Amino acid sequence: MLGIARARQNLIACTGIVGAALLAASAAFAQSYPSAPVRVWVPFGAGGATDVVARVFADQLQQRMGQSFTVENRTGAAGQIAAAAFARAPADGSTLFFTTVAPVTVAPLMNKVAYDPRKDFVPIAVVAVQPVWVVVNAKSPFKSLADIVKQAKDQPGKLNYGTSGVGTELHLAAEAVAQSAGIQLVHVPFRGGGEVITALLGSNIDFATLSTASIAGAVRQGTLRVLAVSSPKRMADFPDVPTFAELGHAGATMVPWWGLMAPAGTPQPILDRLGAELEAATKDAGLRERLKATFVQIEYAGPQEFARRLEAETALYGDIIRAAKITMPKSK
């Protein structure tokens, strides 16, 4: 019996040593990452909100981790094209996906897509949020959201609006308002927020639903007028702009996020390291100063909270999509 007890103690001791060794190896592995340049894919065009925020965080990761993090814009089908390619990316931390909810939650609710975001992607962290804004050219006759609703009722199916793509939260916010108000609008999708702004300033579309980062510059220059916002309460930077809920469209309340994802199968030490560096980046005074002019709200949420938000948004956006019978172009 004494021999068995000693053998058991030795086994426990060995297990502890092996466990400690594995932890040490894991920590060393995480610290050695990345050993080569990292590509950060953005599913929307250059100059749009997602691109702007992605580049700021990519710069932070590069500074913190001592390796190049290069943003690559892969546009089309509201992020589906980039997402389908990302599902086939190597799971070694060399390729990351800086995205919005559009390709990872909304697209699969509309069509059969060439990827399964729940199986093919791993959430790392949410790093920033911002609401959807209804904006018009500063020369537009529309002075309020009520003006848009009135004209849409007077001329059904004539009024159009621009977004950065079919199935984006920008698109869904507009559709939610249209459903609430009982109006018909014509959606004009573009490949990025920058293109929408150009069309709006050129009076090629009647209004737009865009993110804060996309509109910040034009609003400061006085070329755009802001009419309403999708956040639960008014934003401090725009205290005079009413919320959708205040205007009777509570079902359109939403606060879209930006987050970083990795291919499924990426080693946990890499995911943990990236998450830790992103959390530190959100607290960096320099980063906050860079994004201050865009009115973006810096907000960190780890992988568990990220996953919870994805589930909650599946229900919210699913209701909007089914009511509007929205379908999305198939990815190639």
Side-chain angles (χ1 to χ4, degrees), residues 14 16 20 46 198 257 276 302-303:
C14 288
T198 299
W257 49 261

mmCIF file with all atom_site columns, all heavy atoms in Angstrom, residues 14 16 20 46 198 257 276 302-303:
data_model
loop_
_atom_site.group_PDB
_atom_site.id
_atom_site.type_symbol
_atom_site.label_atom_id
_atom_site.label_alt_id
_atom_site.label_comp_id
_atom_site.label_asym_id
_atom_site.label_entity_id
_atom_site.label_seq_id
_atom_site.pdbx_PDB_ins_code
_atom_site.Cartn_x
_atom_site.Cartn_y
_atom_site.Cartn_z
_atom_site.occupancy
_atom_site.B_iso_or_equiv
_atom_site.pdbx_formal_charge
_atom_site.auth_seq_id
_atom_site.auth_comp_id
_atom_site.auth_asym_id
_atom_site.auth_atom_id
_atom_site.pdbx_PDB_model_num
ATOM 1  N N   . CYS A 1 14  ? 4.647   14.592 -11.119 1.00 0.00 ? 14  CYS A N   1
ATOM 2  C CA  . CYS A 1 14  ? 5.011   14.628 -12.540 1.00 0.00 ? 14  CYS A CA  1
ATOM 3  C C   . CYS A 1 14  ? 3.976   15.402 -13.348 1.00 0.00 ? 14  CYS A C   1
ATOM 4  O O   . CYS A 1 14  ? 4.307   16.183 -14.247 1.00 0.00 ? 14  CYS A O   1
ATOM 5  C CB  . CYS A 1 14  ? 5.138   13.206 -13.095 1.00 0.00 ? 14  CYS A CB  1
ATOM 6  S SG  . CYS A 1 14  ? 6.598   12.326 -12.507 1.00 0.00 ? 14  CYS A SG  1
ATOM 7  N N   . GLY A 1 16  ? 2.080   17.785 -12.262 1.00 0.00 ? 16  GLY A N   1
ATOM 8  C CA  . GLY A 1 16  ? 2.266   19.204 -11.984 1.00 0.00 ? 16  GLY A CA  1
ATOM 9  C C   . GLY A 1 16  ? 3.422   19.784 -12.770 1.00 0.00 ? 16  GLY A C   1
ATOM 10 O O   . GLY A 1 16  ? 3.339   20.895 -13.296 1.00 0.00 ? 16  GLY A O   1
ATOM 11 N N   . ALA A 1 20  ? 3.079   22.649 -15.599 1.00 0.00 ? 20  ALA A N   1
ATOM 12 C CA  . ALA A 1 20  ? 3.845   23.893 -15.513 1.00 0.00 ? 20  ALA A CA  1
ATOM 13 C C   . ALA A 1 20  ? 4.666   24.110 -16.777 1.00 0.00 ? 20  ALA A C   1
ATOM 14 O O   . ALA A 1 20  ? 4.783   25.237 -17.281 1.00 0.00 ? 20  ALA A O   1
ATOM 15 C CB  . ALA A 1 20  ? 4.747   23.854 -14.290 1.00 0.00 ? 20  ALA A CB  1
ATOM 16 N N   . ALA A 1 46  ? -11.750 51.387 -48.709 1.00 0.00 ? 46  ALA A N   1
ATOM 17 C CA  . ALA A 1 46  ? -10.861 52.361 -48.078 1.00 0.00 ? 46  ALA A CA  1
ATOM 18 C C   . ALA A 1 46  ? -11.606 53.670 -47.845 1.00 0.00 ? 46  ALA A C   1
ATOM 19 O O   . ALA A 1 46  ? -12.409 54.102 -48.671 1.00 0.00 ? 46  ALA A O   1
ATOM 20 C CB  . ALA A 1 46  ? -9.649  52.596 -48.963 1.00 0.00 ? 46  ALA A CB  1
ATOM 21 N N   . THR A 1 198 ? -19.551 60.624 -51.046 1.00 0.00 ? 198 THR A N   1
ATOM 22 C CA  . THR A 1 198 ? -19.363 61.269 -52.350 1.00 0.00 ? 198 THR A CA  1
ATOM 23 C C   . THR A 1 198 ? -20.686 61.396 -53.082 1.00 0.00 ? 198 THR A C   1
ATOM 24 O O   . THR A 1 198 ? -21.007 62.451 -53.657 1.00 0.00 ? 198 THR A O   1
ATOM 25 C CB  . THR A 1 198 ? -18.373 60.463 -53.204 1.00 0.00 ? 198 THR A CB  1
ATOM 26 O OG1 . THR A 1 198 ? -17.106 60.419 -52.541 1.00 0.00 ? 198 THR A OG1 1
ATOM 27 C CG2 . THR A 1 198 ? -18.192 61.096 -54.576 1.00 0.00 ? 198 THR A CG2 1
ATOM 28 N N   . TRP A 1 257 ? -20.981 47.376 -33.713 1.00 0.00 ? 257 TRP A N   1
ATOM 29 C CA  . TRP A 1 257 ? -19.645 47.236 -33.147 1.00 0.00 ? 257 TRP A CA  1
ATOM 30 C C   . TRP A 1 257 ? -18.617 46.988 -34.246 1.00 0.00 ? 257 TRP A C   1
ATOM 31 O O   . TRP A 1 257 ? -18.957 46.656 -35.387 1.00 0.00 ? 257 TRP A O   1
ATOM 32 C CB  . TRP A 1 257 ? -19.593 46.074 -32.160 1.00 0.00 ? 257 TRP A CB  1
ATOM 33 C CG  . TRP A 1 257 ? -20.197 44.794 -32.699 1.00 0.00 ? 257 TRP A CG  1
ATOM 34 C CD1 . TRP A 1 257 ? -21.448 44.316 -32.460 1.00 0.00 ? 257 TRP A CD1 1
ATOM 35 C CD2 . TRP A 1 257 ? -19.577 43.854 -33.598 1.00 0.00 ? 257 TRP A CD2 1
ATOM 36 N NE1 . TRP A 1 257 ? -21.654 43.140 -33.140 1.00 0.00 ? 257 TRP A NE1 1
ATOM 37 C CE2 . TRP A 1 257 ? -20.527 42.828 -33.845 1.00 0.00 ? 257 TRP A CE2 1
ATOM 38 C CE3 . TRP A 1 257 ? -18.334 43.766 -34.212 1.00 0.00 ? 257 TRP A CE3 1
ATOM 39 C CZ2 . TRP A 1 257 ? -20.267 41.738 -34.684 1.00 0.00 ? 257 TRP A CZ2 1
ATOM 40 C CZ3 . TRP A 1 257 ? -18.068 42.686 -35.054 1.00 0.00 ? 257 TRP A CZ3 1
ATOM 41 C CH2 . TRP A 1 257 ? -19.019 41.688 -35.283 1.00 0.00 ? 257 TRP A CH2 1
ATOM 42 N N   . ALA A 1 276 ? -5.348  40.437 -25.200 1.00 0.00 ? 276 ALA A N   1
ATOM 43 C CA  . ALA A 1 276 ? -4.702  41.259 -24.175 1.00 0.00 ? 276 ALA A CA  1
ATOM 44 C C   . ALA A 1 276 ? -4.152  42.555 -24.769 1.00 0.00 ? 276 ALA A C   1
ATOM 45 O O   . ALA A 1 276 ? -4.276  43.633 -24.171 1.00 0.00 ? 276 ALA A O   1
ATOM 46 C CB  . ALA A 1 276 ? -3.580  40.464 -23.505 1.00 0.00 ? 276 ALA A CB  1
ATOM 47 N N   . GLY A 1 302 ? -14.427 41.199 -24.333 1.00 0.00 ? 302 GLY A N   1
ATOM 48 C CA  . GLY A 1 302 ? -13.683 39.979 -24.593 1.00 0.00 ? 302 GLY A CA  1
ATOM 49 C C   . GLY A 1 302 ? -14.472 38.957 -25.387 1.00 0.00 ? 302 GLY A C   1
ATOM 50 O O   . GLY A 1 302 ? -15.619 39.195 -25.775 1.00 0.00 ? 302 GLY A O   1
ATOM 51 N N   . PRO A 1 303 ? -13.883 37.797 -25.627 1.00 0.00 ? 303 PRO A N   1
ATOM 52 C CA  . PRO A 1 303 ? -14.504 36.794 -26.508 1.00 0.00 ? 303 PRO A CA  1
ATOM 53 C C   . PRO A 1 303 ? -15.865 36.290 -26.038 1.00 0.00 ? 303 PRO A C   1
ATOM 54 O O   . PRO A 1 303 ? -16.747 36.039 -26.868 1.00 0.00 ? 303 PRO A O   1
ATOM 55 C CB  . PRO A 1 303 ? -13.463 35.671 -26.556 1.00 0.00 ? 303 PRO A CB  1
ATOM 56 C CG  . PRO A 1 303 ? -12.572 35.899 -25.368 1.00 0.00 ? 303 PRO A CG  1
ATOM 57 C CD  . PRO A 1 303 ? -12.553 37.371 -25.162 1.00 0.00 ? 303 PRO A CD  1
#
